[in-house]
Amino acid sequence: MAELNAEENELLVLKNKLIQQLNFIYKDVDQTIDYEELSDQLIKLMRLDENCYTPIAYQNHWSQKDVIMITYGDSLLKPDEKPLETLKHFLDNHIGDSINSVHILPFFPYSSDDGFSVIDYSSVNESLGGWDEIQSIAKDRRLMSDLVINHCSSRSAWFDNFIKGEGIGYDFFYTASPDDDLSDVVRPRTSDLLRETDTGKGTQHVWCTFSHDQVDFDFRNPEVLKSFVSIIRLYLDMGVKILRFDAVAFLWKKLNSSSINLPETHEVVRLLRTLLEHAVSDAVIITETNIPNTQNLTYFGNANEAHAIYNFSLPPLLINSLVTGNCLYLKRWLMSMPPSQNGTFYFNFIASHDGIGLRPAEGLLNDYELNSLVEAMQEFGGKVSWRTTETGEPKPYEINIALYDALQGTTKGRDSLGLQRFICAHAIMFGLEGIPGVYIHSLLGTQNDYEKVANTQQNRSINRHRWEYQELQSKLADSENHHAVVLSSLKGLLDIRIKQPAFHPNATQFTLHLGLQMFGFWRQSQDRKQSIFCISNITDHEMELAIHDLNLIMTDNWIELISGIELDMQQEMITLAPYQTVWISNVFHK
């Protein structure tokens, strides 16, 4: 028997791993599946039979230079220009080297939910541009794209075929009976779970986790898995390097269960990770799982599942700290968070196209704190979205508000320190272990869009403004305009951050104990040469920071990175203005 060469051996190892994963996923579903044949099909769909990398375990494909801007493809509009072209102009002319990656929210043809109800996964929404524009952006920046993997549009060709009972997609969707016991199902919506649909095979009831226009896939059918492997391959070919698995926690359904975070869901993520890392060595999976913190952490697996998870608990806890002037809950949470091992990272954000999720704060903020936070956000013009609990009771699920407006005051009411509070929130986030994601409307200090809410009747529209690019450029040209001040301030912080090794996503982090009105943590570079003490006054009044509380090595020269001022080691106190942040380091990488 001829010996296998290295490439053939790697494919054999890969195939055996896929067979094991497929067996775990489908063993209770269909005993007739030929796992060997299915693994061969997946390898071919991903073109691993042509080119197959050998992944290196626990390897970091990122550094402190990585920052991701989150945006819709049409957040910026210019007459007679494709929105994706306008977006590229903004990135080139206003962002530059401060941010090296961009997450363009679903840019495919869609029917609802601002893109998250995909009609066609293989094409770009022509109102935005085409694959040429996507690839043009991907040439200059690391591109992150959504893989809307749990559901698609009820107007898709696949669902049309389901209704007809023939063609590709006729068996792609999960159905149940109204007589089934679905009382344990966990979902973030109050609408009916099942959608009654007339089909060529009679009336069927389609599972809809989110809305009746978003029909859920049935991953018990291997053809669904194969279709998504083909989609992933297409996105990689088009320059996508980061895949965001949207709503993936709900992927596998099972009667008489919660149908969230099921073992089969985790194994599907691991299988797709296996295929992805053999296809493109530095491609990354981020799982979008807006669920309680302990459940969210499980999507790291053992550094063999998601490369990154959203730090969903950060937005409500950080905003709560800044509007109450008390960091108790934020500090407790940070102390409880395990360091991300090499090969994984936290994706930090405090604003996004969605609202401030409250489920990730459950168990971290008590009901009083949650209710106080909701009331404060409503006072600043925010809306509240609701979910139905397991007992059938309505409960706040999400606060919908632009972050700039969310931080325009405290629980005492509005004040004149909104800008400082807003910058402070980002300075904290930029310093934390992980990679920061910055929403375009945070970069621009965009405020609540009530007109869009009125037009769409959707609460989330409040933070999905579309800027006329000429108007925006006019505002950014005025150095005293708050939009220009915000962009300049945040870019200034990022320009410092991306040069400091101690801000590597996997650099050491320890929480500091400076009382409840001063929030601080310490970062140390992986080579242990640089230390940074990140300290923020989270109150609306001056605070004194005792230098001896930091245990600085007195033989080192310490510099405050944001101001560029060297510390006088003879002074005992540093005065921090309301919402001021300092980054105190023994090394300044310019």
Side-chain angles (χ1 to χ4, degrees):
M1 183 175 177
E3 265 189 46
L4 297 175
N5 62 37
E7 186 177 332
E8 290 170 333
N9 188 63
E10 177 61 31
L11 276 175
L12 181 60
V13 171
L14 169 61
K15 181 175 177 177
N16 288 334
K17 183 176 182 180
L18 291 172
I19 288 172
Q20 292 176 2
Q21 293 176 316
L22 291 167
N23 179 60
F24 183 94
I25 295 167
Y26 294 113
K27 64 181 184 297
D28 296 330
V29 176
D30 187 347
Q31 301 299 319
T32 67
I33 296 174
D34 184 334
Y35 299 130
E36 185 169 349
E37 180 184 357
L38 181 53
S39 66
D40 284 337
Q41 291 171 338
L42 297 178
I43 287 170
K44 190 168 184 178
L45 286 169
M46 194 62 92
R47 297 205 305 274
L48 301 181
D49 53 335
E50 301 174 16
N51 191 17
C52 183
Y53 289 94
T54 301
I56 300 173
Y58 308 110
Q59 186 174 31
N60 297 327
H61 301 292
W62 42 82
S63 74
Q64 67 273 12
K65 297 177 182 177
D66 288 300
V67 181
I68 301 174
M69 187 185 86
I70 306 164
T71 182
Y72 279 103
D74 59 355
S75 293
L76 307 170
L77 301 175
K78 187 176 180 181
D80 302 320
E81 185 171 82
K82 296 172 182 177
L84 288 172
E85 291 179 332
T86 308
L87 173 60
K88 189 173 189 308
H89 293 158
F90 174 76
L91 289 166
D92 292 345
N93 299 327
H94 292 285
I95 299 301
D97 296 330
S98 303
I99 297 176
N100 69 350
S101 307
V102 58
H103 173 200
I104 306 178
L105 289 152
F107 47 78
F108 318 103
Y110 71 96
S111 56
S112 63
D113 198 17
D114 280 355
F116 287 93
S117 186
V118 179
I119 293 175
D120 177 10
Y121 289 84
S122 64
S123 63
V124 177
N125 186 339
E126 62 180 15
S127 68
L128 300 177
W131 284 118
D132 286 347
E133 285 71 37
I134 290 292
Q135 289 180 300
S136 178
I137 291 172
K139 284 178 185 175
D140 297 329
R141 297 176 200 272
R142 204 169 192 191
L143 177 61
M144 176 169 161
S145 169
D146 290 272
L147 185 73
V148 185
I149 195 170
N150 178 71
H151 53 262
C152 72
S153 169
S154 64
R155 289 173 48 193
S156 65
W158 285 344
F159 197 67
D160 284 345
N161 288 340
F162 169 80
I163 292 172
K164 290 186 290 187
E166 60 184 25
I168 298 174
Y170 85 93
D171 53 355
F172 275 22
F173 299 94
Y174 196 96
T175 60
S177 167
D179 298 327
D180 291 328
D181 183 1
L182 304 173
S183 58
D184 291 334
V185 174
V186 174
R187 54 194 288 262
R189 296 291 186 271
T190 56
S191 56
D192 291 337
L193 174 62
L194 299 181
R195 162 189 163 142
E196 185 176 307
T197 305
D198 292 328
T199 76
K201 296 182 178 179
T203 300
Q204 298 202 54
H205 295 85
V206 182
W207 193 287
C208 299
T209 299
F210 293 93
S211 78
H212 283 192
D213 184 46
Q214 293 166 298
V215 285
D216 281 32
F217 292 112
D218 185 356
F219 269 84
R220 295 175 303 177
N221 179 358
E223 293 301 317
V224 177
L225 175 65
K226 288 164 60 178
S227 293
F228 273 94
V229 169
S230 295
I231 292 165
I232 290 172
R233 182 67 257 184
L234 170 66
Y235 293 177
L236 295 174
D237 291 342
M238 293 298 113
V240 173
K241 282 295 184 72
I242 307 172
L243 287 160
R244 176 187 185 268
F245 285 13
D246 176 63
V248 70
F250 305 97
L251 180 140
W252 198 271
K253 288 85 175 165
K254 191 179 291 184
L255 297 179
N256 302 311
S257 80
S258 63
S259 292
I260 187 173
N261 304 323
L262 296 184
E264 293 88 348
T265 292
H266 284 279
E267 196 64 38
V268 169
V269 177
R270 285 193 283 269
L271 181 142
L272 294 176
R273 159 81 177 256
T274 299
L275 292 167
L276 184 75
E277 64 188 3
H278 282 82
V280 177
S281 60
D282 60 346
V284 168
I285 291 171
I286 295 182
T287 48
E288 188 268 333
T289 47
N290 194 352
I291 50 181
N293 191 53
T294 53
Q295 298 174 30
N296 190 29
L297 287 167
T298 64
Y299 282 85
F300 276 141
N302 183 27
N304 62 348
E305 201 164 326
H307 296 87
I309 61 172
Y310 273 74
N311 232 339
F312 274 110
S313 297
L314 179 60
L317 292 177
L318 179 50
I319 293 167
N320 179 73
S321 295
L322 290 166
V323 299
T324 63
N326 185 325
C327 67
L328 172 64
Y329 301 99
L330 177 63
K331 185 176 171 181
R332 273 184 189 168
W333 166 75
L334 195 66
M335 291 173 64
S336 73
M337 291 294 281
S340 57
Q341 60 182 313
N342 283 328
T344 67
F345 67 88
Y346 291 110
F347 183 55
N348 297 321
F349 73 107
I350 45 178
S352 73
H353 63 291
D354 290 338
I356 303 163
L358 298 180
R359 285 214 75 203
E362 292 175 11
L364 301 173
L365 293 177
N366 59 39
D367 286 344
Y368 174 80
E369 292 289 338
L370 282 169
N371 290 334
S372 296
L373 179 61
V374 168
E375 289 174 7
M377 296 301 99
Q378 288 177 311
E379 180 71 21
F380 302 147
K383 309 287 183 181
V384 179
S385 296
W386 299 82
R387 71 180 179 93
T388 303
T389 66
E390 294 82 348
T391 59
E393 298 296 317
K395 190 170 185 177
Y397 165 72
E398 184 179 83
I399 301 167
N400 304 111
I401 190 169
L403 184 64
Y404 190 83
D405 283 332
L407 295 173
Q408 286 308 298
T410 68
T411 51
K412 296 180 288 188
R414 292 180 182 268
D415 59 28
S416 60
L417 296 168
L419 177 62
Q420 294 92 322
R421 196 177 291 111
F422 182 80
I423 301 301
C424 178
H426 286 86
I428 291 172
M429 192 254 286
F430 293 163
L432 286 171
E433 174 190 353
I435 290 178
V438 193
Y439 191 35
I440 189 172
H441 292 305
S442 293
L443 280 171
L444 298 174
T446 310
Q447 296 178 269
N448 292 334
D449 190 335
Y450 300 111
E451 183 179 348
K452 193 168 185 184
V453 173
N455 289 337
T456 65
Q457 296 298 301
Q458 299 292 324
N459 286 350
R460 284 179 168 177
S461 295
I462 200 169
N463 196 24
R464 298 179 179 181
H465 182 69
R466 290 192 180 101
W467 277 100
E468 294 295 336
Y469 194 47
Q470 187 173 352
E471 177 194 2
L472 175 63
Q473 287 187 300
S474 174
K475 291 182 182 298
L476 295 180
D478 178 0
S479 61
E480 295 185 5
N481 185 284
H482 93 261
H483 300 289
V485 173
V486 166
L487 181 59
S488 174
S489 299
L490 296 188
K491 283 181 61 182
L493 289 172
L494 288 173
D495 288 343
I496 298 168
R497 180 200 188 277
I498 61 179
K499 296 182 177 71
Q500 314 308 318
F503 284 144
H504 186 284
N506 298 94
T508 299
Q509 176 174 289
F510 284 114
T511 307
L512 300 177
H513 299 284
L514 303 170
L516 298 181
Q517 296 185 310
M518 199 91 76
F519 179 66
F521 50 93
W522 172 74
R523 305 293 310 279
Q524 184 184 56
S525 60
Q526 292 173 307
D527 62 8
R528 300 188 178 183
K529 291 181 179 179
Q530 183 184 33
S531 290
I532 302 178
F533 291 85
C534 306
I535 302 152
S536 298
N537 174 5
I538 59 164
T539 73
D540 57 5
H541 54 270
E542 285 187 351
M543 293 284 293
E544 297 288 333
L545 171 65
I547 290 183
H548 65 77
D549 285 345
L550 302 182
N551 292 320
L552 302 181
I553 298 172
M554 300 302 288
T555 55
D556 286 353
N557 293 321
W558 294 87
I559 190 168
E560 200 288 293
L561 301 181
I562 297 174
S563 65
I565 297 174
E566 188 170 335
L567 263 65
D568 178 0
M569 299 308 292
Q570 303 305 312
Q571 69 182 103
E572 296 182 0
M573 296 285 184
I574 300 174
T575 301
L576 295 187
Y579 305 108
Q580 182 181 354
T581 294
V582 290
W583 289 342
I584 299 172
S585 179
N586 60 335
V587 179
F588 190 6
H589 293 275
K590 297 183 180 180

